[in-house]
Amino acid sequence: MAFAVLPDEYKMMLLLVLTTLLLVFLGVLYVISKIKKNQTKYLQNIPGPKPIFPFGNTLDFIKGSTVFLDVVVNYLRKYGDTIVVHDSLFSWILLSVDYDFNEMIYNSSIHIEKSVQYDFLHGWLGQGLLTTTGDKWKSHRKIITPAFHFSILQEFLHVFDSVGNNLIKKIRKEVGNTSFEISNLMSLFALDVICETAMGTKINALDSTSPENSDYVRSIKIMCAILIERTFSLVPPSFYHLTLNYYREKRALKIIHSHVDSIIEKRLQSRKNNEQFNDKLTDNNFKTKKAFLDLLLDARIDGREFTKTELRDEVNTFMFEGHDTTSSALTFTILMLATHPKVQEKAFNEQKSIFAFSENIKEVKASGAQLSQMKYLEMVIKETLRLYPTVPIYGRKISKDVEFKGSVIPKGINVTLCPYVCHRKALYFENPEEFIPERFETLTGKLPFSYTPFSAGLRNCIGQKFAMMELLCTVSKILRNFELSPAFPEHKLQIVAESILISKNGVKISVHERNV
């Protein structure tokens, strides 16, 4: 009756709305039926948690990074080494710690595209090495790789040493305290190092005395926080521009890009004017060596120079990959030494042996040759990265249909590899939960894809030699100056997977001046 008395134009509008809703409903049913039909061909026999309509399995991750690793570990324990997880109603992620699957992905020259989550980095890192793929990635990788040759990396030793000396001053202020938080200090240290080596500029993050760079430092932290929030957000990417984070990101990126563009422009202008930055002397009478940016400016792609956008993308990428990861590795390595006194004693005895003829073991600058002698300390770092890999998961996208152990994995599906779980499997490591650096004396390398703290294969971390050199230099300096002990009262870590592996409630130790 009510419908009959409505004006004709309202009747038509109502019928149009109802028809639209019906078509949408039928469309959803059609998509679901197609998906169920395709499931008979794809992902057969691959188990996983049961999805809840219409959220898939996302409700398990609603608390974000604080539960992510626990949920993943529980999934893998319950359902097997290769599982399907529904990250939305019509989307899946293949999560695997199966060695054969890991080997297939890492060794592949086809499945080298990063998973869709890396798209969140495009506004910041553009088409840098981490995010790009295809021919562009191959050409950039080929050109940039020589910049990480060991002989070139040794030119950065003076940066590691000078910034390290400042770090020692900061730690010395904590001597005698029963507990102090180290992760923030290590983050500031790593930020100082990466800015000076990547861009040739000092930001003095450890001192916080550089107001002209404070906006840049703050913007980096904002971007890292936004990336974490987007990873676990229930807001579809197509609606991201309606969120507050979108506008926060725009403001942060404006500052970041402006800062980097300014540095690039200054370098270009100085080269044009034949100013030799690398001939200037520092306060310690060391020549200022070329920064990573200078190496990029000298590079050529098919005879042409990098564009300003390409330069910015690569510098930003190196900054992103070389800051948080290094600070995480440093933090957990120092913690492991503090909580394992016998390991610390053995590592320090190695230092005494290497610097036996030095007048002052605390202040001596380690050479490249001396760093190469730190075999036990290297094992300590490797064992730390086994238990606490700085990047706990890697994401790839399948480029074409793949048959794996009786199932067809479809083209386009995102896959997640989890070194955090692989590194703790008894199948690969005896007593996997124990900290035993000596295990790296006898590892044969027969299962190389069971230990991948720097990823593996074609898309392994291009800066891993740089990172290891920085870690050796810095931990060596700390060991020679301080005795490290656990915090009192005992500090319980809250391990979470954000853009890197961190402890949500910080990492605390105590330090004492070392008598040598």
Side-chain angles (χ1 to χ4, degrees):
M1 292 290 294
F3 181 79
V5 299
L6 286 174
D8 290 343
E9 59 267 26
Y10 285 105
K11 291 179 182 179
M12 292 298 296
M13 185 179 297
L14 182 59
L15 287 173
L16 181 61
V17 170
L18 292 174
T19 302
T20 301
L21 290 174
L22 178 61
L23 289 174
V24 169
F25 178 71
L26 292 174
V28 170
L29 289 179
Y30 175 76
V31 171
I32 293 175
S33 67
K34 289 288 290 184
I35 290 171
K36 288 184 176 180
K37 182 178 180 180
N38 286 339
Q39 282 181 322
T40 62
K41 174 184 177 182
Y42 294 120
L43 306 176
Q44 275 186 329
N45 306 318
I46 297 182
K50 185 177 179 180
I52 298 176
F53 182 87
F55 304 105
N57 301 120
T58 57
L59 294 180
D60 291 339
F61 298 94
I62 196 69
K63 294 182 180 179
S65 62
T66 57
V67 300
F68 178 80
L69 282 177
D70 288 339
V71 172
V72 167
V73 169
N74 289 334
Y75 277 173
L76 292 167
R77 285 176 179 169
K78 184 174 182 179
Y79 300 105
D81 284 351
T82 300
I83 63 173
V84 174
V85 178
H86 294 71
D87 60 334
S88 71
L89 181 60
F90 303 127
S91 179
W92 304 268
I93 294 175
L94 192 71
L95 175 62
S96 181
V97 292
D98 183 286
Y99 185 87
D100 293 333
F101 186 83
N102 279 246
E103 182 178 29
M104 178 185 72
I105 296 298
Y106 285 131
N107 264 341
S108 176
S109 59
I110 299 173
H111 310 300
I112 61 173
E113 184 178 352
K114 296 299 181 74
S115 61
V116 68
Q117 287 76 20
Y118 288 78
D119 292 350
F120 300 154
L121 292 164
H122 283 167
W124 180 9
L125 307 184
Q127 294 296 310
L129 275 183
L130 180 64
T131 52
T132 192
T133 190
D135 292 338
K136 184 172 184 178
W137 171 80
K138 292 176 182 177
S139 63
H140 280 215
R141 175 87 182 202
K142 183 178 180 180
I143 290 167
I144 295 173
T145 295
F148 291 90
H149 189 275
F150 185 77
S151 61
I152 294 177
L153 294 181
Q154 289 192 86
E155 295 184 358
F156 295 139
L157 284 177
H158 77 285
V159 177
F160 302 156
D161 187 70
S162 62
V163 181
N165 287 337
N166 199 18
L167 175 65
I168 295 301
K169 292 178 183 178
K170 302 300 178 184
I171 296 176
R172 186 159 281 125
K173 294 179 180 179
E174 304 292 341
V175 168
N177 292 336
T178 58
S179 176
F180 92 96
E181 204 286 312
I182 63 171
S183 64
N184 185 58
L185 202 59
M186 296 303 167
S187 177
L188 295 174
F189 162 80
L191 189 58
D192 274 343
V193 168
I194 204 65
C195 284
E196 192 167 346
T197 55
M199 299 192 296
T201 186
K202 295 183 179 182
I203 67 168
N204 301 317
L206 272 169
D207 294 321
S208 299
T209 58
S210 183
E212 67 273 16
N213 289 300
S214 60
D215 287 344
Y216 174 75
V217 175
R218 184 167 55 252
S219 297
I220 293 288
K221 292 181 178 180
I222 289 172
M223 281 304 302
C224 289
I226 289 174
L227 289 172
I228 296 161
E229 292 173 17
R230 288 195 69 185
T231 300
F232 300 104
S233 175
L234 294 178
V235 178
S238 56
F239 291 97
Y240 176 62
H241 67 284
L242 300 177
T243 66
L244 177 61
N245 273 344
Y246 172 78
Y247 294 96
R248 293 177 63 217
E249 177 177 324
K250 285 187 68 175
R251 289 195 297 268
L253 288 179
K254 183 178 180 180
I255 293 170
I256 291 171
H257 291 331
S258 176
H259 185 86
V260 174
D261 287 344
S262 175
I263 290 171
I264 292 173
E265 188 59 39
K266 288 178 182 178
R267 285 279 167 148
L268 287 170
Q269 189 62 42
S270 70
R271 290 160 70 97
K272 183 178 180 180
N273 296 334
N274 295 317
E275 294 180 14
Q276 298 299 317
F277 281 89
N278 60 318
D279 286 339
K280 292 183 178 180
L281 296 178
T282 67
D283 293 338
N284 295 321
N285 291 326
F286 288 113
K287 284 188 176 182
T288 305
K289 304 298 182 181
K290 283 185 175 182
F292 177 68
L293 173 57
D294 293 306
L295 300 174
L296 291 177
L297 289 170
D298 290 334
R300 296 293 181 269
I301 305 173
D302 297 329
R304 69 168 177 85
E305 299 176 347
F306 274 72
T307 66
K308 290 184 180 181
T309 299
E310 288 171 332
L311 288 169
R312 185 178 68 187
D313 290 347
E314 297 301 353
V315 170
N316 276 330
T317 296
F318 191 57
M319 290 281 295
F320 174 68
E321 291 192 289
H323 165 231
D324 282 350
T325 54
T326 302
S327 65
S328 173
L330 270 173
T331 298
F332 286 116
T333 299
I334 297 303
L335 175 67
M336 291 297 97
L337 288 167
T339 53
H340 296 82
K342 290 183 179 180
V343 171
Q344 183 181 170
E345 181 182 10
K346 189 172 180 178
F348 177 65
N349 286 337
E350 180 184 64
Q351 296 296 306
K352 288 197 297 184
S353 175
I354 293 172
F355 298 103
F357 299 103
S358 301
E359 292 184 7
N360 190 333
I361 189 175
K362 289 187 175 183
E363 296 182 2
V364 65
K365 175 187 173 183
S367 67
Q370 288 168 325
L371 291 179
S372 67
Q373 296 176 46
M374 299 179 188
K375 301 301 183 184
Y376 187 70
L377 184 55
E378 183 177 344
M379 287 189 283
V380 170
I381 294 171
K382 286 182 176 179
E383 178 70 344
T384 300
L385 292 174
R386 183 186 68 81
L387 284 173
Y388 302 100
T390 55
V391 182
I393 61 171
Y394 304 122
R396 297 282 182 88
K397 183 179 289 186
I398 297 297
S399 297
K400 67 176 185 179
D401 286 4
V402 173
E403 186 174 350
F404 179 74
K405 294 186 177 180
S407 295
V408 177
I409 300 171
K411 173 184 176 181
I413 194 171
N414 294 300
V415 300
T416 297
L417 310 179
C418 191
Y420 180 84
V421 177
C422 283
H423 291 182
R424 292 169 178 257
K425 287 178 69 70
L427 180 64
Y428 310 131
F429 300 98
E430 187 176 354
N431 301 317
E433 298 297 331
E434 295 183 20
F435 185 75
I436 310 173
E438 290 80 3
R439 74 172 79 243
F440 283 92
E441 290 178 332
T442 57
L443 283 181
T444 61
K446 290 183 179 179
L447 297 173
F449 301 105
S450 62
Y451 179 74
T452 55
F454 296 103
S455 191
L458 289 176
R459 298 213 70 153
N460 67 341
C461 175
I462 196 172
Q464 58 184 288
K465 291 181 180 178
F466 176 96
M468 185 58 73
M469 186 177 290
E470 181 180 351
L471 290 168
L472 285 169
C473 189
T474 308
V475 178
S476 166
K477 187 179 288 289
I478 293 172
L479 263 180
R480 287 183 274 120
N481 279 272
F482 306 107
E483 293 181 27
L484 312 172
S485 303
F488 182 84
E490 183 182 1
H491 179 68
K492 298 284 188 180
L493 301 180
Q494 295 178 3
I495 300 299
V496 299
E498 296 195 341
S499 56
I500 55 165
L501 194 73
I502 64 168
S503 174
K504 195 72 173 178
N505 61 338
V507 176
K508 297 180 180 181
I509 64 167
S510 62
V511 295
H512 308 276
E513 194 73 36
R514 190 178 288 280
N515 296 319
V516 293

